[in-house]
Amino acid sequence: MRYHNITKADMLNGEGLRVVLWVSGCSHHCPGCQNPVTWDASDGLEFDLSAKEEIFHELDQDWCSGITLSGGDPLFCGNRSAIRDLVLEIRDKYPTKSIWLYTGYTWSELLKISKEDKDLDDILNNIDVLLDGRFVLKLASEKIHYVGSSNQHIIDVKKSLNQKKEILYIDNDKILEGVE
């Protein structure tokens, strides 16, 4: 797996102050994407022990709420095995830190794929919040939280898996309706 950047003390990509890993590789190529530089899986830096130690150093800090995995797409086929290993290690070492993950796949697509993909199944069973769906430029809104377009969802993964239906962590539709 390759990556483009590690952002520290980020407060734009999840709740609290977080460390963000921006991975390389995305097959969705959404028009208007904020990070097209991350689409090429062979671009960026090799995710090595030094990069992992940099992330763990941030997660060691009391102020750090957790990690957000973004990109590119952390669930790009070429990233899944390395993301799985990273997620499992973070869950083991930092059980109280939250793990958020952005992907262009939808929740329903991921549930279907995870039946055949053990790496993806392990990832879904160990993250807290999934921000799903492709970015759609004509649905872009600055009013909604953490995602770029209104078709994207912020999903409480543990509740969704337990209740066997999509449970939103933050309901941006209510924000757009002014209900909040």
Side-chain angles (χ1 to χ4, degrees):
M1 179 175 75
R2 301 185 73 78
Y3 74 103
H4 275 266
N5 195 17
I6 296 171
T7 307
K8 300 167 184 155
D10 181 284
M11 56 186 172
L12 300 175
N13 294 285
E15 290 181 332
L17 291 173
R18 315 181 65 72
V19 58
V20 182
L21 174 63
W22 304 89
V23 300
S24 300
C26 183
S27 57
H28 304 298
H29 301 183
C30 303
C33 172
Q34 71 171 3
N35 290 320
V37 69
T38 63
W39 292 353
D40 183 349
S42 63
D43 200 12
L45 306 166
E46 183 67 33
F47 187 77
D48 58 10
L49 182 59
S50 175
K52 185 164 51 167
E53 288 172 348
E54 186 176 344
I55 288 170
F56 288 178
H57 174 76
E58 297 304 305
L59 289 168
D60 283 336
Q61 308 309 309
D62 290 338
W63 54 261
C64 185
S65 301
I67 186 168
T68 299
L69 303 167
S70 192
D73 192 334
L75 299 182
F76 173 73
C77 288
N79 291 336
R80 288 185 196 155
S81 177
I83 290 293
R84 174 199 173 272
D85 293 347
L86 181 61
V87 163
L88 291 177
E89 190 169 354
I90 291 169
R91 182 58 66 216
D92 181 56
K93 289 183 181 208
Y94 305 97
T96 63
K97 305 282 182 165
S98 65
I99 303 173
W100 287 43
L101 188 145
Y102 282 85
T103 183
Y105 294 98
T106 64
W107 178 249
S108 60
E109 289 171 331
L110 291 172
L111 290 179
K112 288 176 191 168
I113 298 167
S114 70
K115 291 177 183 174
E116 305 294 325
D117 186 326
K118 176 72 169 127
D119 289 335
L120 179 56
D121 187 58
D122 285 346
I123 293 166
L124 292 177
N125 279 288
N126 285 283
I127 62 172
D128 300 292
V129 177
L130 180 81
L131 302 99
D132 83 334
R134 291 157 187 78
F135 174 75
V136 177
L137 189 57
K138 69 181 180 182
L139 299 176
S141 174
E142 293 180 9
K143 294 179 182 178
I144 55 181
H145 296 296
Y146 302 120
V147 293
S149 58
S150 61
N151 63 298
Q152 297 172 305
H153 300 111
I154 305 170
I155 299 166
D156 185 317
V157 176
K158 291 183 186 340
K159 285 183 182 177
S160 296
L161 291 173
N162 286 337
Q163 296 183 30
K164 297 188 182 347
K165 65 178 185 176
E166 183 178 298
I167 305 294
L168 297 180
Y169 184 78
I170 295 173
D171 189 346
N172 275 321
D173 288 342
K174 289 183 180 176
I175 292 167
L176 288 171
E177 296 167 4
V179 175
E180 213 175 353

